[in-house]
């Protein structure tokens, strides 16, 4: 009972706050995140009333299944952007831009933090700088998708944005695995080139193959049904299946293991399905309608996860600000350079980098891995990423909306009062 009341209360708070802030034209995702912060352990949750908010971060963690399922559907929807007809137009551009902007973010963060290391010394080890530079590659697909869907953004910027965000995960996995391996080597002195190079490649290839197999089976079974409602139910079933199977992990040796990326697996399921089934667009639309309350709950929960206590640690705040500024510069300049090289539309060159700033789930997942394996240094990295995610998640969707609007991909809604006056005349 308490769980159901908590879910209902979280949904209600998120929806009501989105209505309250509508006058300021803020993206709905921002209001959901703020609602989560307000009912989380840092505010309302302190009252300890059952069902009324989240009294602890452990309580929030009990709802992790919501995040797994929501990210699975978000990645599945992103697979729709990899239709062959669309890839012929933007595939090469998206790939080049994704690689350049990710590596640029890593370079800017590495250089900035290593220079800061010369001032702070052992308070900011070089290994910490390298790991933070790798995590800088990650972009939050969920917030971007929510803004695009809410405002029905369409245009050259949106066409390349979604594939870039999707490919960003693959690039980030490789960069993180290599940088994390180097950082652990610096601390332990034990270097395993095999694990540094092979593990991320196995994860990417394995995720693509697993997603392709599930997507093919899904497309075959979906054809057995003629009812759109049943086809939608099959889609939900296979997204659940993909999200679950992507949690599997196999150890081959002490250094080599096979794991899967939930985002890549579910994205591949969506991509294969969209390219094999001629009724995929209709199913995608219906699944999007079905998942609307799930996304609201996911972002409210994401807001509840944000620990405001990181603002009390001045060293974390200082390093976090340096990380945010350098990562933002790297993303914006890298995206601009990649777009110029591939001769993208002028508005894409100007505004793409700004839309790539949001950072959340993937970055937090990387930081959790680091915290588990690097002890005290890893916990510092986790706190820095937590601080940056707090800023990026609250500000990022607003910047994304503004960039898409300036690029002309979001059309301003007509003023009903002006329309009424025009009609009266």
């Amino acid at each position: 009972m308490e769980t159901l009341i908590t879910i209902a209360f979280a949904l209600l708070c998120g929806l009501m706050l989105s209505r309250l802030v509508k006058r300021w034209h803020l993206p709905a995702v921002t209001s959901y995140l703020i609602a989560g912060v307000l009912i989380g352990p840092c505010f309302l949750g302190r009252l300890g009333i059952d069902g009324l908010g989240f009294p602890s971060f452990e309580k929030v963690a009990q709802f992790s299944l919501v995040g797994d399922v929501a990210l699975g559907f978000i990645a599945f929807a992103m697979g729709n952007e990899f239709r062959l007809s669309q890839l012929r137009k933007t595939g090469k551009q998206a790939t080049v831009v994704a690689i350049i902007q990710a590596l640029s973010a890593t370079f800017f963060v590495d250089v900035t933090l290593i220079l800061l290391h010369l001032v702070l010394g052992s308070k900011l080890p070089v290994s910490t700088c390298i790991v933070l530079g790798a995590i800088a590659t990650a972009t939050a697909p969920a917030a971007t998708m929510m803004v695009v869907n809410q405002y029905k953004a369409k245009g050259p910027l949106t066409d390349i944005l979604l594939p870039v965000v999707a490919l960003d995960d693959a690039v980030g996995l490789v960069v993180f695995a290599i940088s994390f391996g180097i950082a652990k080597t610096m601390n332990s002195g034990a270097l395993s080139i095999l694990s540094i190079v092979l593990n991320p490649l196995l994860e990417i290839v394995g995720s693509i193959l697993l997603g392709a197999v599930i997507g093919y089976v899904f497309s075959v079974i979906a054809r057995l049904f003629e009812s759109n409602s049943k086809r939608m139910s099959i889609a939900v079933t296979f997204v659940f299946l993909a999200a679950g199977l992507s949690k599997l992990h196999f150890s081959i040796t002490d250094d080599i293991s096979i794991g899967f990326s939930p985002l890549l697996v579910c994205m591949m399921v969506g991509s294969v399905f969209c390219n094999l089934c001629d009724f995929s667009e209709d199913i995608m639309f219906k699944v999007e309608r079905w998942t609307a309350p799930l996304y609201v709950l996911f972002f409210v929960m994401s807001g509840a996860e944000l620990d405001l206590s990181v603002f009390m640690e001045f060293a974390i705040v200082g390093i976090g600000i340096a990380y945010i500024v350098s990562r933002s510069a790297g993303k914006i300049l890298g995206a601009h350079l990649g777009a110029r090289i591939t001769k993208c539309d002028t508005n894409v060159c100007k505004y793409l980098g700004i839309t790539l700033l949001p950072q959340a789930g993937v970055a937090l997942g990387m930081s959790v891995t680091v915290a588990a394996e690097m002890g005290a240094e890893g916990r510092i990295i986790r706190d820095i990423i937590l601080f940056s995610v707090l800023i990026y998640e609250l500000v990022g969707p607003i910047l994304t909306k503004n960039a898409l609007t300036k690029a002309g991909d979001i059309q301003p809604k007509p003023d009903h009062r002006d329309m009424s006056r025009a009609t009266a005349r």
Side-chain angles (χ1 to χ4, degrees):
M1 181 183 73
E2 179 190 334
T3 300
L4 291 175
I5 294 174
T6 301
I7 290 175
F9 183 71
L11 281 168
L12 182 62
C13 288
L15 292 169
M16 293 303 294
L17 191 61
S18 69
R19 186 68 183 175
L20 183 64
V21 303
K22 190 174 182 180
R23 65 180 66 184
W24 294 295
H25 305 290
L26 294 177
V29 61
T30 301
S31 63
Y32 301 151
L33 289 164
I34 294 173
V37 172
L38 294 177
I39 67 173
C42 295
F43 286 98
L44 191 61
R46 286 180 174 273
L47 298 177
I49 302 174
D50 292 343
L52 196 66
F54 303 94
S56 66
F57 290 106
E58 289 75 18
K59 187 69 175 179
V60 181
Q62 292 178 9
F63 291 84
S64 60
L65 180 63
V66 173
D68 294 339
V69 174
L71 287 173
F73 279 104
I74 289 167
F76 176 71
M78 291 179 70
N80 192 40
E81 303 304 318
F82 288 90
R83 292 178 182 271
L84 292 178
S85 58
Q86 184 69 19
L87 287 178
R88 293 189 186 98
K89 300 177 183 178
T90 62
K92 180 181 178 181
Q93 292 176 325
T95 302
V96 172
V97 171
I99 294 172
I100 292 178
Q101 59 84 25
L103 296 180
S104 177
T106 296
F107 175 76
F108 271 71
V109 172
D110 280 347
V111 170
T112 300
L113 295 186
I114 288 174
L115 290 175
L116 195 58
H117 158 76
L118 299 177
V119 178
L120 298 177
S122 60
K123 292 182 179 178
L124 181 62
V126 174
S127 54
T128 296
C129 303
I130 292 174
V131 172
L132 287 170
I135 297 176
T137 59
T139 301
T144 303
M145 282 290 293
M146 280 291 287
V147 173
V148 169
N149 290 339
Q150 179 185 351
Y151 295 100
K152 296 179 174 57
K154 291 182 180 179
L157 179 55
T158 305
D159 289 342
I160 195 171
L161 168 61
L162 297 178
V164 166
V165 171
L167 290 168
D168 190 73
D169 185 39
V171 178
L173 283 173
V174 175
V175 175
F176 175 72
I178 294 173
S179 298
F180 188 35
I182 293 172
K184 288 194 293 185
T185 299
M186 294 176 67
N187 290 337
S188 65
L191 177 64
S192 175
I193 297 295
L194 194 62
S195 64
I196 291 175
V197 175
L198 193 58
N199 282 343
L201 291 179
L202 286 174
E203 182 169 343
I204 292 171
V205 174
S207 298
I208 291 174
L209 289 176
L210 178 61
V213 171
I214 296 174
Y216 175 76
V217 175
F218 168 33
S219 64
V220 171
I221 292 179
R223 293 180 184 278
L224 300 177
F225 299 90
E226 295 182 359
S227 165
N228 280 338
S229 61
K230 289 182 179 179
R231 285 175 173 174
M232 186 196 72
S233 299
I234 289 294
V236 171
T237 299
F238 274 89
V239 173
F240 274 54
L241 178 64
L245 291 178
S246 64
K247 295 291 184 179
L248 294 175
H249 191 276
F250 306 96
S251 294
I252 300 176
T253 67
D254 291 339
D255 294 326
I256 302 174
S257 62
I258 299 177
F260 303 99
S261 165
L263 286 176
L264 285 180
V265 172
C266 294
M267 185 176 67
M268 196 64 189
V269 172
S271 180
V272 171
F273 172 66
C274 287
N275 283 288
L276 292 182
C277 286
D278 52 6
F279 52 80
S280 61
E281 285 194 22
D282 188 44
I283 299 303
M284 283 288 189
F285 175 75
K286 291 184 181 299
V287 169
E288 180 185 321
R289 297 287 295 272
W290 183 86
T291 55
L294 176 65
Y295 291 163
V296 175
L297 182 60
F298 168 64
F299 282 106
V300 173
M301 303 292 296
S302 298
E305 286 180 327
L306 299 177
D307 188 355
L308 302 185
S309 65
V310 294
F311 283 109
M312 305 304 294
E313 302 180 42
F314 295 109
I316 298 298
V317 171
I319 298 171
I321 291 173
Y323 170 85
I324 290 170
V325 172
S326 56
R327 176 183 177 272
S328 300
K331 286 281 183 181
I332 292 172
L333 293 177
H336 178 78
L337 176 61
R340 288 286 298 273
I341 290 175
T342 55
K343 298 179 181 179
C344 291
D345 183 87
T346 302
N347 284 330
V348 173
C349 296
K350 289 173 64 176
Y351 299 113
L352 177 60
I354 298 174
T355 64
L356 297 174
L357 296 184
Q359 188 174 47
V362 178
L364 287 173
M366 292 177 177
S367 70
V368 169
T369 300
V370 173
E373 298 192 31
M374 291 184 67
E377 183 181 349
R379 288 189 289 273
I380 291 174
I381 293 173
R382 181 197 59 196
D383 289 343
I384 293 170
I385 295 302
L386 185 61
F387 171 79
S388 69
V389 165
L390 179 62
I391 303 300
Y392 275 129
E393 280 295 87
L394 295 177
V395 177
I398 299 173
L399 295 177
T400 298
K401 179 213 168 186
N402 290 340
L404 289 169
T405 301
K406 290 180 179 179
D409 285 31
I410 293 178
Q411 299 298 323
K413 291 183 179 180
D415 191 318
H416 295 293
R417 289 173 297 181
D418 292 342
M419 290 180 64
S420 298
R421 295 191 191 103
T423 303
R425 290 172 186 168

